[in-house]
């Protein structure tokens, strides 16, 4: 009887085991299209044997576990690939918009507007007295300014849109982290019973991939089956069943845009991948760099045209008029400064010396400073900037009279010259008909000084025709670079008597005026070590660009007043700017520089698109590799289903047979 009951038990265990196996097959088939689902299989194991008449007799079969089939290495590769995909996809959407902004067509685009502007000046040069041509010029100039304004505003809007996406992505990261923490708790509680939480692990794996698509993560699974998730140099975003929210904090140093904080730490620089990295890189690097280039183009156009236009003459004899709205100096206090020292908005003292670079006045201590050209990384060249004088002309020359106003004493980089004597003549003196001629004379005589020559010191002298100032600049970029006019009877005539000497580095006392590269700013108040003040002339130049002239008669096409109305010399000089190579552009023309900016954007967009396609291809390969282990094959599952069904039927048949045996025994009784 015991043997028959053992057969019953064996059949029962087999029925239960194969029923469970069929349930696993059903789960696999039901989730064949579920993203992140991992194929499962029932693991069969003989049940415990018993000893009968000295022999070991099996008691049946049991399913000891339902195994989740995964390749841990491939899963990790997929998560890393998702991080790359997130970054590239986030960048791709913005690059499409950005590229569209620089897609010039025959009737649209900044390059087209530049060309139309210079062509309109050509029409004025052919008929300098024509009202129609002058009106068309102002219309084309306004269209060009509007194009610059629109481009700058669009780039600014792109940044604001990206900032919104950053905020949304931070929220998504926090939500995913919270869900993973909840699943950690569920998985740990479930697996304490000895069975793996397969479906919960699949759900958590999918969430980890979604999280990785948004931010670079590093994961570690502990002995309890809970995953720890770290972001930004080891900061735990998920720790067992707890999650820690990231926050977006407005940064004063970054225009009020959000930086990503973990607790009280800014981790924005340490987010190396994922959509958040792509958004931050576009918002804080790519677009600002592009906008800076457009601002440099707008500022250079403004400066170059105004420098020429201000010295020309309109039909009514008007002169000293800017064509475009004048450039302004942008000076600001770094948000990291610890002192209350301030810097004024500044002014332009020599348009011809503007570099369109960014500068920083850096304080090593409260009383020592250095001025650095951030664009080149070098300190500035020390200089002496004079005050405005009446510009010499052929009708009103500057006169240097021997023994009266022909001597200067100059100190260059700490080396004092001998007596520098300019070429002059007896009263009424030697006539210099232009500031340029006089600048050449001053430069030649200073650089011929024996003491300075022996010390290897030299200067460059410029007469700025926009502000009518002489600027004497050292040719050294060392920290000791400096120029000072210490004496001489020529100082008053040249506007060098009350000028400002600015060294590359020196001693600060409140207030201090700094004149460098055509810019004048003043720092006031007690400074502190590590204080930094930023200065440039290009910020918002494209956004603020407007046409200053409203009267067509004020277009200064003439070089001289006496040449009116047919003189077109100044118009021709302005037209020549179209082909002029400018130092601010790396010796490129305006058109070439803009084309480089546009092609850089297009090249970056194309490179991102190509990399995205390659990454998508890699992702498909990884998904295929995952499918070989974790994917559900309908044919394979159907085959298993038939096998388990047959085994179930056989188990039932075994029980039926045992029942017949038992019934036979009962009949015998």
């Amino acid at each position: 009887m015991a043997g028959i009951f053992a057969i019953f038990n064996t059949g029962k265990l087999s029925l239960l085991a194969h029923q469970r196996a069929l349930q696993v097959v059903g789960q696999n088939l039901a989730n064949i299209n579920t993203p992140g689902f991992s194929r499962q299989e029932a693991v069969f194991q003989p049940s415990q044997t018993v000893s009968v008449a000295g022999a070991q007799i099996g008691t049946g079969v049991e399913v000891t576990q339902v195994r989740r089939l995964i390749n841990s290495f491939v899963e990790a590769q997929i998560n890393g690939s998702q991080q790359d995909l997130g970054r590239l996809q986030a960048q791709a959407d913005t690059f499409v918009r950005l590229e569209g902004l620089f897609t010039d067509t025959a009737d649209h685009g900044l390059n087209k507007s530049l060309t139309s502007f210079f062509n309109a000046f050509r029409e004025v040069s052919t008929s300098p007295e024509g009202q129609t041509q002058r009106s068309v010029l102002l219309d084309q100039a306004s269209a060009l300014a509007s194009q610059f304004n629109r481009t700058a505003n669009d780039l600014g809007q792109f940044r604001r849109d990206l900032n919104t996406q950053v905020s949304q992505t931070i929220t998504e990261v926090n939500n995913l982290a919270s869900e993973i923490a909840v699943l950690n708790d569920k998985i740990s509680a479930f697996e304490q019973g000895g069975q793996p939480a397969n479906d919960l692990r699949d759900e958590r794996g999918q969430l980890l991939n979604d999280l990785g698509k948004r931010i670079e993560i590093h994961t570690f699974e502990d002995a309890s089956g809970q995953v720890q998730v770290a972001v930004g140099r080891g900061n735990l975003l998920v720790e067992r069943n707890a999650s820690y929210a990231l926050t977006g904090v407005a940064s004063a140093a970054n225009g009020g845009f959000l930086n990503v904080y973990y607790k009280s730490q800014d981790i924005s620089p340490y987010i190396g991948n994922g959509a958040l990295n792509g958004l931050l890189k576009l918002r804080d690097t790519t677009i600002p760099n592009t906008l800076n280039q457009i601002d440099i183009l707008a500022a250079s156009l403004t400066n170059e045209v105004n420098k020429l236009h201000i010295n020309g003459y309109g039909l009514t004899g008007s002169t000293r008029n800017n064509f475009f709205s004048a450039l302004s100096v942008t000076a600001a206090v770094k948000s990291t400064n610890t002192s209350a020292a301030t810097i004024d908005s500044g002014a332009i003292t020599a348009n011809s010396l503007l570099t369109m670079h960014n500068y920083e006045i850096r304080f090593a201590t409260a009383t020592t400073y250095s001025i650095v050209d951030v664009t080149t990384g070098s300190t500035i060249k020390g200089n002496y900037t004079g005050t405005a004088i009446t510009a010499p002309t052929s009708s009103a020359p500057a006169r240097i009279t021997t023994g009266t106003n022909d001597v200067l004493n100059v100190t260059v980089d700490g080396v004092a010259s001998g007596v520098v004597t300019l070429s002059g003549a007896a009263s009424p003196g030697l006539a210099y008909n232009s500031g340029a001629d006089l600048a050449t004379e001053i430069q030649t005589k200073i650089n011929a000084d024996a003491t300075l020559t022996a010390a290897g010191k030299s200067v460059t002298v410029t007469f700025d025709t926009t502000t009518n100032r002489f600027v004497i600049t050292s040719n050294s970029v060392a920290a000791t670079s400096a120029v000072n006019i210490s004496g001489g009877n020529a100082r008053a005539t040249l506007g060098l008597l009350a000028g400002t000497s600015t060294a590359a580095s020196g001693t600060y006392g409140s207030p201090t005026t700094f004149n460098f590269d055509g810019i004048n700013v003043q720092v006031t108040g007690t400074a502190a070590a590590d204080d930094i003040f930023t200065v440039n002339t290009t910020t918002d130049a494209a956004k603020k660009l407007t046409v200053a002239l409203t009267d067509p008669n004020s277009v200064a096409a003439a070089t001289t007043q006496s040449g009116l109305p047919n003189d077109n010399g100044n118009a021709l000089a302005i037209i020549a700017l179209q082909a002029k190579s400018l130092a601010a552009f790396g010796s490129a023309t305006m058109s070439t520089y803009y084309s480089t900016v546009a092609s850089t954007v297009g090249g970056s967009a194309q490179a991102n698109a190509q990399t995205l396609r390659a990454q998508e291809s890699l992702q498909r390969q990884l998904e295929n590799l995952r499918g070989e282990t974790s994917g559900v094959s309908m044919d394979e599952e159907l085959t298993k289903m038939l096998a388990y069904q047959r085994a179930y039927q056989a188990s039932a048949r075994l029980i039926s047979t045992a029942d017949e045996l038992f019934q036979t025994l009962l009949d015998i009784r």
Side-chain angles (χ1 to χ4, degrees):
M1 293 288 288
I4 293 175
F5 282 120
I7 295 172
F8 270 118
N9 190 59
T10 299
K12 181 192 74 171
L13 291 177
S14 180
L15 280 173
L16 293 174
H18 287 93
Q19 180 182 8
R20 188 174 181 187
L22 282 167
Q23 288 174 331
V24 172
V25 169
Q27 173 75 348
N28 287 341
L29 289 172
N31 288 281
I32 193 169
N33 294 315
T34 302
F37 178 79
S38 300
R39 180 166 59 95
Q40 302 174 20
E41 68 174 7
V43 178
F44 291 91
Q45 180 177 313
S47 56
Q48 187 176 3
T49 59
V50 296
S51 180
V52 178
Q56 295 294 315
I57 303 298
T59 59
V61 68
E62 60 184 347
V63 173
T64 58
Q65 66 169 306
V66 177
R67 182 165 57 198
R68 177 171 170 255
L69 299 174
I70 63 167
N71 184 324
S72 298
F73 175 76
V74 173
E75 294 290 337
Q77 292 292 102
I78 286 176
N79 188 271
S81 175
Q82 287 280 31
Q83 295 176 30
D84 289 327
L85 271 179
R87 171 176 53 81
L88 293 167
Q89 287 171 344
Q91 291 176 330
D93 295 338
T94 301
F95 270 127
V96 169
R97 295 177 63 190
L98 197 56
E99 195 174 18
L101 194 61
F102 292 94
T103 304
D104 279 46
T105 64
D107 300 313
H108 175 75
L110 203 45
N111 221 356
K112 168 64 177 175
S113 295
L114 271 171
T115 301
S116 297
F117 169 70
F118 283 111
N119 285 342
F121 247 116
R122 284 189 177 84
E123 293 300 318
V124 171
S125 70
T126 59
S127 301
E129 76 288 352
Q131 289 293 316
T132 301
Q133 290 83 350
R134 288 166 174 268
S135 296
V136 169
L137 170 62
L138 294 186
D139 289 342
Q140 291 295 342
S142 295
L144 174 59
S146 296
Q147 187 70 46
F148 270 110
N149 302 158
R150 188 161 46 250
T151 301
N153 288 331
D154 286 347
L155 289 171
Q157 186 60 51
F158 288 175
R159 289 196 75 190
R160 290 188 290 274
D161 292 345
L162 288 168
N163 194 58
T164 299
Q165 291 182 54
V166 167
S167 179
Q168 292 171 345
T169 304
I170 290 173
T171 300
E172 292 168 1
V173 166
N174 291 337
N175 290 340
L176 289 167
S178 178
E179 291 180 52
I180 291 168
V182 170
L183 284 173
N184 269 345
D185 200 35
K186 289 181 178 179
I187 290 170
S188 177
F190 188 88
E191 292 185 348
Q192 284 179 357
Q195 289 292 330
N198 292 333
D199 292 339
L200 293 176
R201 282 179 171 270
D202 281 344
E203 185 179 352
R204 186 178 67 183
Q206 186 65 29
L207 290 175
L208 286 170
N209 284 339
D210 290 343
L211 181 61
K213 199 168 186 179
R214 288 161 175 80
I215 188 172
E216 181 181 32
I217 60 174
H218 301 279
T219 61
F220 170 77
E221 183 175 329
D222 63 20
S224 68
Q226 299 187 81
V227 169
Q228 322 298 317
V229 182
V231 297
R233 288 192 175 179
N235 297 298
L236 284 176
L237 184 66
V238 178
E239 185 178 18
R240 294 181 173 269
N241 62 352
S243 62
Y244 305 96
L246 301 179
T247 55
V249 179
S251 169
N254 192 27
F257 291 111
L258 300 179
N259 282 355
V260 184
Y261 272 70
Y262 177 86
K263 298 181 179 178
S264 60
Q265 178 189 2
D266 183 1
I267 64 170
S268 303
Y270 313 124
I271 298 173
N273 214 342
L276 204 50
N277 169 268
L279 295 172
L280 291 172
K281 184 177 180 181
L282 284 167
R283 189 197 70 185
D284 298 337
T285 302
T286 302
I287 291 180
N289 286 348
T290 302
L291 180 56
N292 181 55
Q293 291 172 312
I294 296 301
D295 280 337
I296 288 173
L297 178 58
S300 297
L301 171 70
T302 299
N303 195 47
E304 294 299 322
V305 171
N306 283 353
K307 280 194 304 181
L308 294 172
H309 192 272
I310 201 171
N311 290 304
Y313 292 86
L315 281 179
T316 59
S318 61
T319 188
R320 308 301 294 174
N321 291 322
N322 282 321
F323 188 91
F324 291 111
S325 52
L327 291 180
S328 59
V329 175
T330 300
V333 177
K334 275 263 189 172
S335 61
T336 53
N337 287 9
T338 57
S339 77
T342 60
I343 187 169
D344 67 6
S345 56
I348 294 173
T349 56
N351 292 70
S352 59
L353 297 182
L354 296 181
T355 61
M356 308 308 165
H357 292 178
N358 294 317
Y359 301 91
E360 288 182 352
I361 303 173
R362 301 174 180 174
F363 282 81
T365 69
T367 56
T368 58
Y369 73 88
S370 61
I371 306 175
V372 177
D373 182 334
V374 179
T375 304
T376 64
S378 302
T379 54
I380 64 159
K381 295 179 179 180
N383 70 82
Y384 189 93
T385 303
T387 56
I389 63 171
T390 301
T393 63
S394 56
S395 58
R399 297 184 179 274
I400 300 299
T401 304
T402 302
T404 300
N405 62 347
D406 61 341
V407 173
L408 289 174
N409 298 107
V410 184
T411 301
V412 182
D413 305 341
V415 178
S417 71
V419 176
V420 176
T421 304
L422 305 179
S423 298
S427 181
L430 180 63
Y432 289 85
N433 296 330
S434 70
D437 290 343
L438 195 45
T440 300
E441 171 66 14
I442 297 168
Q443 178 177 311
T444 301
K445 290 299 192 290
I446 292 175
N447 289 341
D449 179 79
T451 305
L452 295 178
T453 301
K457 306 300 180 182
S458 64
V459 300
T460 298
V461 181
T462 305
F463 181 75
D464 184 72
T465 57
T466 307
T467 58
N468 293 335
R469 302 170 190 263
F470 283 103
V471 181
I472 304 176
T473 306
S474 168
N475 288 328
S476 168
V477 291
T480 55
S481 181
V483 174
N484 191 32
I485 308 301
S486 54
N489 57 23
R491 289 187 297 168
T493 301
L494 303 176
L496 302 176
L497 182 61
T500 303
S501 176
T502 301
S505 61
T507 302
Y508 167 77
S510 177
T512 294
T513 298
F514 300 97
N515 270 328
F516 55 90
D517 292 353
I519 298 170
N520 172 290
V521 291
Q522 185 179 79
V523 176
T524 305
T526 302
D530 299 322
D531 277 0
I532 296 176
F533 301 88
T534 62
V535 183
N536 69 58
T537 56
T538 60
T539 297
D540 289 337
K543 183 178 180 179
K544 295 178 179 177
L545 181 62
T546 58
V547 179
L549 296 182
T550 56
D551 182 4
N553 288 321
S554 298
V555 173
T559 305
T560 64
Q561 188 172 15
S562 60
L564 293 171
N566 298 319
D567 183 357
N568 65 354
N570 207 43
L572 292 175
I574 293 174
I575 293 166
L577 292 175
Q578 187 176 18
K580 183 180 179 180
S581 297
L582 301 176
F585 304 151
S587 298
T589 65
M590 295 182 195
S591 180
T592 302
Y593 179 76
Y594 172 76
S595 296
T596 301
V597 174
S599 63
T600 298
V601 170
S604 297
Q606 185 177 24
N608 188 82
Q610 291 174 343
T611 306
L612 176 58
R613 286 194 294 270
Q615 192 62 43
E616 288 172 337
S617 176
L618 175 61
Q619 181 71 13
R620 287 192 294 270
Q621 293 176 25
L622 289 171
E623 292 290 351
N624 290 337
L625 281 174
R626 183 184 188 280
E628 293 176 6
T629 302
S630 303
V632 178
S633 167
M634 184 174 293
D635 291 340
E636 184 178 347
E637 297 303 319
L638 289 175
T639 300
K640 285 184 178 181
M641 184 171 66
L642 288 173
Y644 296 152
Q645 180 186 7
R646 294 299 186 192
Y648 187 91
Q649 291 172 340
S651 300
R653 181 61 179 165
L654 177 63
I655 292 174
S656 176
T657 299
D659 180 63
E660 290 175 5
L661 291 174
F662 186 67
Q663 189 62 45
T664 298
L665 288 176
L666 291 177
D667 290 344
I668 292 174
R669 289 178 65 116

